[in-house]
């Protein structure tokens, strides 16, 4: 009998340990529905008010449906509010917009600090323009996915900073280091558009050691720009920067050398920049910098699927069942 109690004790301890690693199990087929509508016909008129209403450490999936409109506000999903989905009805008609330079998180249009967040069918933009960092979207949480979203700015559009992330069928536009940070992220079937006039970079990844399992992979994407030879695929923010492009169409906006060492030749031997089965005039490899890699199938394989981000463990479909919230829907003062 004592052995049974001992077994149950260790079993409970193990379950508690798992909870601290992967979080509380959540029913992903159903969700609490909250609507945001500027006309006043929804639960809230502001997106941030809807997020503020969600209880801290909630254990239910929350689906915030944002009706068409231009929402001029800054949105923060705090760390203690996981399992939130923000969804527009159409990415061209549901727009979250702000204009301001980036100094702190408070100067980002949308900031995702929580884990298990999903964004769907949204436009997120910072209209500040050139001259200084102006972040549209910053992503700090783990297990975060965006589907069919449009993300616009000029310099440092997407601060993809930490955690595992998945971007599917998204449009991302900028000129200088407009996808940057130190996350482990897969960009699948995304449209990447550079508005650089000269010398811009798409990525600035910040991996700082070989032991970090981080990097960006672009698979089956399209890359365009406004001028020929005006942008490179990436430059190393961190010494072990890692970026891969595979099965991706590249126009002549990509400079023939492909990559830039950010005026630091020591990073050439530690950065890992690779291309696999890319095509189009910007994908020609004959003039690529000698320290980049044209990958073999075995070298490219770890970067080609959702396994790269352990996506089979956490990516989830949109909920199919909805219910009313049990918490108050009054805006907090």
């Amino acid at each position: 009998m004592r052995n049974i109690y001992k077994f149950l004790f260790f079993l409970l301890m193990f379950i508690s340990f798992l909870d601290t690693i992967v979080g509380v199990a959540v029913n992903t087929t159903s969700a609490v529905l909250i609507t945001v509508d500027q006309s006043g016909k929804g639960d809230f008129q502001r997106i941030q008010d809807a997020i503020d209403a969600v209880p801290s450490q909630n254990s239910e999936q929350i689906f915030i449906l944002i009706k068409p409109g231009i929402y001029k506000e800054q949105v923060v999903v705090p760390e203690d509010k996981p399992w939130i989905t923000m969804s527009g009805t159409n990415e061209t008609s549901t727009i979250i917009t702000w204009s301001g330079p980036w100094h702190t998180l408070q100067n980002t249009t949308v900031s995702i600090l929580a884990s298990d967040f999903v964004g769907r069918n949204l436009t997120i933009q910072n209209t500040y323009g050139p001259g200084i960092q102006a972040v549209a979207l910053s992503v700090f949480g783990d297990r975060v996915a965006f589907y069919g979203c449009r993300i616009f700015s000029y310099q440092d559009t997407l601060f993809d900073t930490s955690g595992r992330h998945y971007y599917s069928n998204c449009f991302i536009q900028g000129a200088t280091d407009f996808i940057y940070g130190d996350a482990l992220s897969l960009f699948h079937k995304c449209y990447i558009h550079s508005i650089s006039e000269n010398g811009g970079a798409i990525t600035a990844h910040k991996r700082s050691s070989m032991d970090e399992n981080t990097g960006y992979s672009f698979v089956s994407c399209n890359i365009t720009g406004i001028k020929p030879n005006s942008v490179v695929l990436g430059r190393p923010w961190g010494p072990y920067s890692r970026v891969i492009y595979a099965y991706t169409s590249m126009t002549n906006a990509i400079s023939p050398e492909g990559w830039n060492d950010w005026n630091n030749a020591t990073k050439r031997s530690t950065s890992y920049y690779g291309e696999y089965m890319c095509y189009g005039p910007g994908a020609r490899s004959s003039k690529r910098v000698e320290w980049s890699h044209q990958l073999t199938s075995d070298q490219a394989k770890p970067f080609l699927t959702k396994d790269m981000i352990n996506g089979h463990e956490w990516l989830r479909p949109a909920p199919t069942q909805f219910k009313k919230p049990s918490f108050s829907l009054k805006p907090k003062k």
Side-chain angles (χ1 to χ4, degrees):
M1 196 69 168
R2 185 178 296 172
N3 289 335
I4 293 176
Y5 284 127
K6 186 181 292 186
F7 170 77
L8 290 174
F9 172 78
F10 283 111
L11 179 62
L12 289 171
M13 290 293 289
F14 180 68
I15 292 172
S16 176
F17 172 71
L18 285 179
D19 280 347
T20 63
I21 296 177
V22 300
V24 178
V26 171
N27 180 0
T28 58
T29 61
S30 67
V32 173
L33 178 62
I34 301 174
T35 57
V36 178
D37 190 337
Q38 289 180 326
S39 71
K41 296 179 181 180
D43 298 311
F44 297 98
Q45 291 180 281
R46 295 179 69 254
I47 300 167
Q48 190 63 52
D49 288 341
I51 294 167
D52 291 345
V54 176
S56 178
Q57 307 298 343
N58 65 283
S59 58
E60 295 182 288
Q61 185 173 196
I62 308 294
F63 194 93
I64 300 175
L65 178 62
I66 307 169
K67 295 298 183 67
I70 298 175
Y71 294 84
K72 296 180 180 180
E73 59 176 299
Q74 292 173 286
V75 176
V76 178
V77 181
E79 187 176 3
D80 64 348
K81 296 189 178 184
W83 297 104
I84 289 177
T85 293
M86 285 176 16
S87 178
T89 53
N90 184 288
E91 69 273 14
T92 61
S93 60
T94 305
I95 300 168
I96 309 172
T97 185
W98 193 256
S99 178
W102 189 89
H103 299 297
T104 67
L105 283 180
Q106 285 69 38
N107 299 111
T108 302
T109 306
V110 174
S111 300
I112 309 301
L113 310 183
S115 65
D116 299 293
F117 174 89
V118 176
R120 292 181 180 274
N121 306 323
L122 301 167
T123 289
I124 301 169
Q125 64 185 26
N126 189 325
T127 61
Y128 186 77
I132 196 170
Q133 293 171 293
V135 180
L137 172 64
S138 59
V139 186
F140 288 79
D142 189 24
R143 302 185 298 271
V144 173
F146 287 87
Y147 299 90
C149 291
R150 303 192 306 160
I151 308 165
F152 293 90
S153 186
Y154 190 89
Q155 181 173 340
D156 297 358
T157 303
L158 171 58
F159 190 13
D160 189 65
T161 182
S162 58
R164 292 165 292 175
H165 308 151
Y166 180 61
Y167 299 86
S168 175
N169 290 285
C170 292
F171 182 97
I172 305 169
Q173 176 176 291
T176 305
D177 305 330
F178 62 96
I179 302 173
Y180 75 111
D182 194 18
L184 179 67
S185 298
L186 176 62
F187 298 80
H188 184 229
K189 294 184 178 180
C190 290
Y191 198 112
I192 312 298
H193 184 61
S194 169
I195 54 174
S196 170
E197 294 283 343
N198 183 41
I202 294 172
T203 64
H205 192 256
K206 199 187 178 183
R207 185 168 173 248
S208 59
S209 78
M210 289 186 64
D211 297 329
E212 278 190 77
N213 184 24
T214 62
Y216 297 155
S217 181
F218 297 82
V219 179
S220 300
C221 295
N222 288 286
I223 300 176
T224 59
I226 61 172
K227 288 183 65 177
N229 304 329
S230 59
V231 64
V232 293
L233 298 169
R235 59 179 184 168
W237 186 13
Y240 289 85
S241 178
R242 181 164 63 177
V243 181
I244 306 298
Y245 292 84
Y247 302 117
T248 288
S249 170
M250 301 180 185
T251 68
N252 64 359
I254 301 301
S255 296
E257 67 273 16
W259 308 88
N260 182 283
D261 65 9
W262 215 330
N263 298 317
N264 188 342
T266 63
K267 293 181 179 180
R268 296 179 180 182
S269 61
T270 53
S271 298
Y272 190 80
Y273 291 150
E275 299 167 62
Y276 177 70
M277 299 292 286
C278 295
Y279 56 97
R284 294 170 184 156
S285 61
S286 59
K287 295 184 179 180
R288 285 293 194 257
V289 293
E290 61 182 11
W291 41 275
S292 67
H293 306 276
Q294 294 297 315
L295 303 178
T296 66
S297 58
D298 286 341
Q299 290 171 329
K301 186 176 180 180
F303 305 100
L304 299 181
T305 70
K306 296 172 186 175
D307 289 342
M308 172 187 166
I309 54 172
N310 305 115
H312 60 283
E313 297 177 0
W314 58 271
L315 288 171
R316 62 188 190 271
T320 56
Q321 301 174 22
F322 298 94
K323 57 184 178 180
K324 294 181 179 179
S326 58
F327 47 84
S328 173
L329 293 179
K330 293 182 179 180
K332 295 183 179 180
K333 296 181 180 180

